[in-house]
Amino acid sequence: PPSIRAFRWAREFADARRCYTQAIALGDQLAVPRTRAEALWGMTRAHGFAGDLDSARRAAQEGMEIARSAGDVWVAALTQMALGASFVLARREKNAIENLSDALAAMRACGDTFGQCAARVWLALAHWRLNQRERALTHLQTALALAQTHHYDYLFATRTLLALSVLRLRATT
């Protein structure tokens, strides 16, 4: 039933937030800022996917700042993608497109084809919801080509750190 799925979903992200809070504390003890950035990427996803956009935005801003100052464009891009995906799930497509487009550009600069594929899936959904069908289909076509070339088909069938399964997304469209 939907109520049980919603409860599991909420519990899953509450557990994730607890774990990421512990990871942030451990990173602070080690005095290695980059470890904090990685935990803040996870915290962005945990807050954002649970619907707490203010907390997600704060975590993302701090995480991206730390990552960029450490020269880690990839972790900054992952964090920005998590924030953009959170906006998609919250039906704030314009915010989503802005963040996901920046994340996609950073993934291209890093040469991360998996990140590019995931960003394009989220962008396709955001554009589709805004009735921007041509843009949505362009992103989806490119994502499918990347998935076929690099064997990322699981991105469309299972949950990953960068995406929800298509089955779960179907319930949100």
Side-chain angles (χ1 to χ4, degrees), residues 152-160 164-168:
Y152 301 148
D153 52 305
Y154 58 89
L155 184 62
F156 296 91
T158 60
R159 289 176 35 189
T160 73
L164 296 173
S165 73
V166 172
L167 299 175
R168 178 143 318 157

Side-chain angles (χ1 to χ4, degrees), residues 84 87-88 92-94 96-97 100 120-132 136:
F87 283 128
V88 171
R92 298 205 17 212
E93 287 79 11
K94 290 181 182 180
I97 290 168
L100 292 166
R120 286 186 180 278
V121 170
W122 286 111
L123 280 162
L125 180 57
H127 283 292
W128 188 264
R129 286 184 176 164
L130 290 174
N131 290 317
Q132 297 171 350

Side-chain angles (χ1 to χ4, degrees), residues 79-141:
T79 304
Q80 191 157 25
M81 188 183 322
L83 182 60
S86 299
F87 283 128
V88 171
L89 293 174
R91 296 191 174 271
R92 298 205 17 212
E93 287 79 11
K94 290 181 182 180
N95 296 98
I97 290 168
E98 179 183 332
N99 281 280
L100 292 166
S101 295
D102 289 347
L104 175 59
M107 289 297 180
R108 275 194 207 125
C110 294
D112 182 343
T113 55
F114 183 79
Q116 291 173 51
C117 185
R120 286 186 180 278
V121 170
W122 286 111
L123 280 162
L125 180 57
H127 283 292
W128 188 264
R129 286 184 176 164
L130 290 174
N131 290 317
Q132 297 171 350
R133 302 299 196 227
E134 189 172 319
R135 287 182 180 177
L137 292 173
T138 297
H139 282 296
L140 188 57
Q141 183 178 31

Side-chain angles (χ1 to χ4, degrees), residues 9-10 15 18 23 31 35 38 45 50 54 65 75 138 143 157 166 169:
W9 178 263
D15 290 345
R18 183 178 38 74
T35 59
E38 289 182 14
R45 183 179 183 275
D54 290 335
E65 228 174 76
V75 168
T138 297
V166 172
L169 283 176

